[in-house]
């Protein structure tokens, strides 16, 4: 950290010159964009856009994930001083990243939301940038994947979660965070044979051909096994990584709407994400952070680290493969 810079840097989300570089303003001060990236709606020359989707209309238990993007941005202020530990690269210095801000939508007109989100992500992709999205409940991944499938075809998906989100629901207009994967498979935006779920520890009647690696398997057979299977399944296909924060055990990340015991520890998730380096990742998200249920802020900190790791995976796929 350049301590001398902290004396004069502030509000770099608005005052930064250029789109690359670390940031050294005081972590407790200033405008809290994600990793102190520049807030911008202009995507010319941008590699990656961070965007927030503060939507939690579809949760089955505790609401509050609409505050996830704000909390994750604030927690990320601890990270932009140095390159990410353990990576032989520094995406903030080597890649043009902006904070594209949040999706605007009418909270009182829920049926219009999915189309708005698909168009939002589609516009970013059309400009040539990728996305890392801060949620929001897990329903948001379905409209996002629709935009990705329009560009890349049926997607390979790596899905970290306590739940399969494969509840059978053939009403495609119904909005529910527990059905996004089911509807993605049924409508052809997710390729089940090229997708994998990691960390599962709740019942599912039918996985629709999707391989799953439950939490116990990760604990007993290790991160290396889970990563090797995930790599084999997605291959070199364009891949989307979605991380529900309740994949982590509630002792690590209590601030979520549907916590389930027996989950991954943060070190296991960190190792999984890091060891996936080299997959053809074209986008990702972290969802279900509900800060009201975690007075320590640990869940938002975990969410910010997950999003930073997704940036690293995207950078590795784009520039290092």
């Amino acid at each position: 950290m350049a301590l001398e810079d902290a004396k004069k840097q502030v509000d770099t989300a608005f005052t930064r010159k250029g789109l690359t570089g670390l940031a050294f303003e005081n972590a407790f001060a200033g405008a809290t964009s994600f990793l102190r990236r520049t807030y911008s709606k202009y995507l010319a020359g941008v590699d990656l856009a961070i965007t927030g989707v503060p939507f939690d209309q579809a949760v089955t238990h505790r609401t509050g994930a609409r505050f996830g993007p704000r909390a994750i941005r604030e927690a990320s202020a601890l990270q932009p001083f140095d390159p990410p530990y353990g990576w032989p690269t520094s995406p903030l210095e080597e890649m043009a990243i902006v904070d594209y801000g949040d999706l605007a939508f009418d909270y009182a007109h829920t049926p219009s939301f999915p189309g708005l989100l698909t168009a939002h992500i589609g516009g970013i992709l059309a400009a040539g940038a990728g996305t890392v999205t801060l949620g929001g409940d897990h329903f948001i991944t379905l409209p996002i994947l629709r935009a990705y499938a329009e560009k890349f075809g049926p997607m390979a998906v790596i899905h970290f979660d306590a739940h399969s989100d494969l509840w059978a629901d053939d009403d495609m207009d119904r909005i529910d965070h527990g059905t996004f994967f089911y509807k993605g498979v049924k409508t052809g935006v997710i390729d089940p044979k090229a997708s994998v779920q990691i960390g599962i520890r709740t019942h599912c009647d039918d996985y629709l051909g999707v391989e799953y690696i439950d939490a116990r398997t990760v604990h007993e057979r290790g991160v290396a096994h889970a990563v090797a299977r995930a790599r084999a399944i997605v291959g070199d296909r364009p891949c989307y990584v979605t991380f529900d924060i309740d994949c982590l055990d509630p002792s690590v990340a209590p601030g979520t709407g549907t916590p389930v015991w027996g989950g991954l520890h943060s070190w296991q998730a960190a190792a999984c994400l890091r060891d996936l380096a080299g997959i053809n990742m074209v986008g990702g998200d972290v969802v279900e952070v509900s800060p009201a249920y975690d007075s320590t802020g640990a869940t938002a900190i975990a969410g910010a680290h997950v999003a930073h790791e997704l940036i690293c995976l995207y950078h590795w796929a784009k520039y290092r493969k």
Side-chain angles (χ1 to χ4, degrees):
M1 176 179 177
L3 291 175
E4 64 278 9
D5 292 331
K7 299 175 184 178
K8 56 189 176 182
Q9 282 193 10
V10 70
D11 296 329
T12 49
F14 302 109
T15 61
R16 171 186 297 280
K17 296 179 180 178
L19 300 180
T20 59
L22 302 174
F24 303 103
E25 65 181 286
N26 290 320
F28 52 81
T32 51
S33 64
F34 187 74
L35 297 176
R36 306 291 194 181
R37 297 304 92 189
T38 301
Y39 272 115
S40 179
K41 297 295 186 184
Y42 300 99
L43 295 173
V46 170
D47 294 300
L48 185 66
I50 311 300
T51 190
V53 183
F55 178 85
D56 66 352
Q57 192 72 27
V59 212
T60 51
H61 188 38
R62 305 188 300 194
T63 59
R66 65 181 61 185
F67 294 104
R70 183 182 296 173
I72 292 170
R73 285 187 174 102
E74 181 177 353
S76 78
L78 290 165
Q79 298 180 36
F81 306 110
D82 303 295
Y85 179 79
W87 285 89
T89 184
S90 182
L92 298 187
E93 295 179 280
E94 301 170 16
M95 191 165 60
I97 306 171
V98 300
D99 192 322
Y100 195 68
D102 287 351
L103 171 71
F105 62 95
D106 184 349
Y107 70 89
H109 196 273
T110 306
S112 65
F113 171 79
L116 289 172
L117 179 51
T118 298
H120 178 77
I121 298 298
I124 296 171
L125 297 178
T131 65
V132 168
T133 301
L134 315 175
D137 74 44
H138 218 158
F139 171 77
I140 71 169
T141 303
L142 179 58
I144 293 171
L145 284 172
R146 287 171 180 156
Y148 269 89
E150 287 176 6
K151 180 171 183 177
F152 295 103
M155 296 295 298
V157 176
I158 299 177
H159 174 202
F160 291 87
D161 207 323
H163 313 85
S164 69
D165 294 339
L166 281 163
W167 298 346
D169 180 6
D170 293 310
D171 180 353
M172 295 303 163
D173 293 324
R174 185 173 174 275
I175 294 174
D176 187 326
H177 75 157
T179 65
F180 92 87
F181 213 103
Y182 178 91
K183 291 177 179 177
V185 171
K186 289 294 186 177
T187 58
V189 301
I190 296 174
D191 182 347
K193 296 299 183 184
S195 299
V196 60
Q197 301 186 331
I198 300 173
I200 303 300
R201 52 194 187 277
T202 52
H203 176 75
C204 176
D205 287 326
D206 184 357
Y207 281 91
L208 302 182
V210 179
E211 183 166 334
Y212 70 97
I213 303 165
D214 66 16
R216 180 169 180 167
T217 300
V218 177
H219 296 320
E220 293 183 347
R221 301 193 64 179
V223 166
H225 167 76
V227 170
R229 285 302 304 142
R231 285 180 169 280
I233 290 165
V234 302
D236 61 359
R237 294 273 301 275
C239 179
Y240 189 90
V241 179
T242 179
F243 195 107
D244 187 323
I245 208 68
D246 71 25
C247 182
L248 301 179
D249 191 78
S251 63
V252 176
T256 187
T258 49
V260 183
W261 75 335
L264 272 59
H265 200 280
S266 59
W267 76 263
Q268 292 172 307
C272 280
L273 290 168
R274 196 147 305 179
D275 291 352
L276 284 170
I279 62 170
N280 186 18
M281 182 192 150
V282 293
D285 62 54
V286 55
V287 297
E288 303 276 0
V289 172
S290 295
Y293 309 109
D294 180 6
S295 61
T296 71
T299 310
I301 290 169
H305 278 286
V306 168
H308 202 167
E309 295 295 304
L310 295 178
I311 290 172
C312 293
L313 287 173
Y314 181 86
H315 175 262
W316 198 266
K318 189 175 178 70
Y319 290 110
R320 298 293 182 121
K321 63 182 179 181

